Amino acid sequence: MDRKMKQTSILSYWTVRYFWILFAGLLVIAAAAVWWTKQQTMDSRLQTVELLAQDIADRLSGEDGTVTVPPYLTQLLQKRAQYFNLGPGICLLVTDHNGKLLYASDPITQEELPLKLNASLDRALEPGMKAIIAPITYDEAKIGQVTILQPTRPLTRLPDLQWAFGLAFLSLAALGWLTIYLLSRKLSRPIRKVASAAREISLGHYDVSLHADTKERELGELLHSFKEMAGRLKQLEHSRSFMLAGLTHELKTPVTSVKGLVHAVREKVVTGEEADEFLDIALLESGRLERMVSDLLDYNALAAGVVPMNRDRLDASALLSEIVYQWRLLQEDGMPEPSLQLPHEPVQIAGDSLRIQQIIVNLLHNSAQAKHPDRPLHIDIALRVRDKHAEITVRDNGSGIPVSEQQLIFERFFRGENKKLSIRGLGLGLAFSKLLAAAQGGELAFIESSEQGTTFALTLPLTE
């Protein structure tokens, strides 16, 4: 059974995690700094003890080549140990060149000497002690040795520095936490606003207000993009409601017509030839309703990706000629035949001939429906090769598409004001054609439109 993850605010989440990361990092740095400082302090103090041992050794060389221990040696050692802060437990040993103990600052006998030093008298045997050696020389000959046994713990004791390190550690941790907290709060504020606005949108309230002054470019882009998205969703919701109303109207109109015509025949309101005429009109309306439902189903199937597409090798010129010929046969008398501009070289494309025919026929239908009332209709179809693609342009001299509608022509269920008044349909033709083109690796694009006519371009990939 899945447990629901406990959620917390982004401010608390990142502040706590960044603080622990900072705390661990500072702790490692502080430990390394303390260790390095202790090592440096120990080395420095050992050098001091070595100088002290050598100074004492220089005082013990007698004029006759023997080791002479002055009576003030104990007092000298105490003053030097106090001056250099060497700590308690320091022990001074003086031996001759045979290892005989001549002097010891602590009560140590010759028999106890092997418990303090090894046989060569150069290493301390007691744990926590370090032996510092200085030879006593006379005429460059070693006549004895000064050994200082120094506890290592006082050498690394840093009471003042430890307090300084602790204070610095706490100060940096507090400063780091404050910085992380302020940064996280600044970053979370616009995100909270966006989350709150998203909740409003999920409830259907698209008039959201996002006001957050931020110098960060990414956060500014987030807020700007979200406001644009909210506006776009509001527009789409309005368009959806409007288009759904139009779709309902377009489907209801033929149903109402068929129902009224059949009811008139059934109730004997019309008889004879007039009744037959009513039935013929009902059949036409039924066929129109069937085509609209078929277009709706085809569009939904293609949008869901369940319509198979062939990738045949096609001669574009021959295909266009056949499409134009078939389309002209189905038109009423007086409809001019589109002019074809085909290249002399054959153009081989990869695609589905049936789907390409659907796209071209839809463009031709749109051009015929956009005929300008004051001039004859001319439709020009041109085929050319551009950048490893075949481009088919369909240009007419119709009344054009209003500028306010040009950005919406590929929206599903969108129908221009002129079409709503004169032609029944669902507004799926261009949206469906664009999906058909994309499914074949091509593109259907709107090029331009004005009072002199409209141009569309269909690009399809060439065969390799």
Side-chain angles (χ1 to χ4, degrees), residues 61 93 201 300:
S61 178
L93 302 176
I201 291 177
N300 289 333

Side-chain angles (χ1 to χ4, degrees), residues 169-222:
F169 175 81
L170 293 177
S171 300
L172 287 175
L175 181 62
W177 175 84
L178 180 61
T179 303
I180 292 169
Y181 174 79
L182 294 177
L183 179 60
S184 299
R185 189 177 67 173
K186 181 175 178 59
L187 292 177
S188 63
R189 185 182 297 115
I191 296 176
R192 289 198 304 269
K193 290 181 176 293
V194 171
S196 177
R199 286 193 295 269
E200 292 295 321
I201 291 177
S202 67
L203 297 176
H205 306 149
Y206 298 100
D207 294 322
V208 296
S209 177
L210 285 175
H211 299 288
D213 296 331
T214 176
K215 296 181 180 179
E216 290 80 2
R217 182 182 60 191
E218 292 79 3
L219 292 178
E221 291 176 352
L222 172 63

Side-chain angles (χ1 to χ4, degrees), residues 61-125:
S61 178
E63 296 181 354
D64 56 355
T66 61
V67 178
T68 302
V69 179
Y72 59 83
L73 186 58
T74 300
Q75 185 179 5
L76 176 66
L77 176 63
Q78 292 176 351
K79 289 182 178 181
R80 292 291 189 271
Q82 184 178 5
Y83 180 79
F84 292 115
N85 194 23
L86 299 180
I90 187 172
C91 178
L92 174 65
L93 302 176
V94 179
T95 56
D96 61 13
H97 65 283
N98 293 319
K100 182 180 178 182
L101 182 63
L102 303 178
Y103 171 84
S105 60
D106 289 345
I108 299 175
T109 63
Q110 182 70 39
E111 290 74 17
E112 296 174 340
L113 186 61
L115 301 177
K116 300 288 185 178
L117 297 172
N118 60 355
S120 57
L121 304 180
D122 59 358
R123 183 169 60 86
L125 297 180

Side-chain angles (χ1 to χ4, degrees), residues 185-460:
R185 189 177 67 173
K186 181 175 178 59
L187 292 177
S188 63
R189 185 182 297 115
I191 296 176
R192 289 198 304 269
K193 290 181 176 293
V194 171
S196 177
R199 286 193 295 269
E200 292 295 321
I201 291 177
S202 67
L203 297 176
H205 306 149
Y206 298 100
D207 294 322
V208 296
S209 177
L210 285 175
H211 299 288
D213 296 331
T214 176
K215 296 181 180 179
E216 290 80 2
R217 182 182 60 191
E218 292 79 3
L219 292 178
E221 291 176 352
L222 172 63
L223 295 175
H224 179 71
S225 299
F226 193 87
K227 286 190 288 187
E228 286 189 345
M229 182 194 70
R232 180 63 173 165
L233 286 174
K234 181 180 179 181
Q235 180 184 4
L236 289 177
E237 179 64 19
H238 180 268
S239 299
R240 184 189 67 83
S241 301
F242 183 76
M243 292 173 184
L244 183 59
L247 173 62
T248 304
H249 172 73
E250 292 298 330
L251 291 176
K252 183 179 179 181
T253 299
V255 173
T256 304
S257 299
V258 171
K259 182 179 179 181
L261 292 168
V262 173
H263 184 74
V265 175
R266 182 174 180 272
E267 296 296 327
K268 308 297 183 178
V269 176
V270 293
T271 58
E273 293 182 359
E274 191 175 7
D276 293 338
E277 184 180 354
F278 270 43
L279 291 177
D280 291 338
I281 297 174
L283 288 174
L284 290 175
E285 291 294 325
S286 298
R288 187 178 291 113
L289 177 61
E290 183 181 13
R291 286 193 298 272
M292 287 191 289
V293 173
S294 178
D295 289 344
L296 184 59
L297 293 175
D298 288 344
Y299 177 84
N300 289 333
L302 183 59
V306 296
V307 176
M309 287 286 172
N310 296 325
R311 301 285 289 181
D312 300 328
R313 183 184 181 93
L314 305 172
D315 185 335
S317 298
L319 178 60
L320 285 176
S321 299
E322 182 65 23
I323 292 173
V324 170
Y325 174 74
Q326 293 182 14
W327 180 78
R328 180 62 188 84
L329 289 178
L330 297 176
Q331 303 308 307
E332 298 177 356
D333 294 338
M335 177 65 67
E337 183 173 349
S339 64
L340 281 172
Q341 299 177 20
L342 305 176
H344 298 292
E345 299 294 331
V347 179
Q348 301 294 327
I349 59 176
D352 190 316
S353 60
L354 179 60
R355 303 305 180 182
I356 296 173
Q357 181 177 4
Q358 286 181 270
I359 298 172
I360 300 299
V361 167
N362 182 63
L363 295 177
L364 292 174
H365 282 326
N366 288 346
S367 296
Q369 294 167 2
K371 180 182 180 299
H372 198 283
D374 299 332
R375 56 176 177 260
L377 177 64
H378 293 290
I379 303 176
D380 297 320
I381 301 177
L383 172 65
R384 60 179 61 89
V385 176
R386 288 186 179 178
D387 300 329
K388 298 183 180 180
H389 282 78
E391 182 184 73
I392 304 170
T393 57
V394 180
R395 180 183 293 107
D396 62 57
N397 65 339
S399 55
I401 303 172
V403 177
S404 60
E405 298 178 0
Q406 290 179 5
Q407 294 183 346
L408 302 173
I409 57 175
F410 289 112
E411 294 289 344
R412 54 185 178 177
F413 306 118
F414 174 77
R415 301 181 68 223
E417 293 298 329
N418 295 332
K419 280 193 172 183
K420 290 179 184 178
L421 299 175
S422 59
I423 302 168
R424 290 182 182 175
L426 297 180
L428 289 174
L430 287 176
F432 185 54
S433 297
K434 191 173 183 66
L435 286 179
L436 287 175
Q440 299 177 81
E443 181 184 8
L444 177 62
F446 167 73
I447 304 302
E448 61 179 354
S449 184
S450 65
E451 294 181 355
Q452 283 70 42
T454 303
T455 303
F456 285 88
L458 171 64
T459 58
L460 294 168

Side-chain angles (χ1 to χ4, degrees), residues 114-148:
L115 301 177
K116 300 288 185 178
L117 297 172
N118 60 355
S120 57
L121 304 180
D122 59 358
R123 183 169 60 86
L125 297 180
E126 293 183 2
M129 301 291 288
K130 191 170 184 64
I132 295 90
I133 310 300
I136 304 173
T137 59
Y138 180 80
D139 289 338
E140 299 183 356
K142 182 178 180 180
I143 60 175
Q145 174 178 299
V146 172
T147 303
I148 296 179

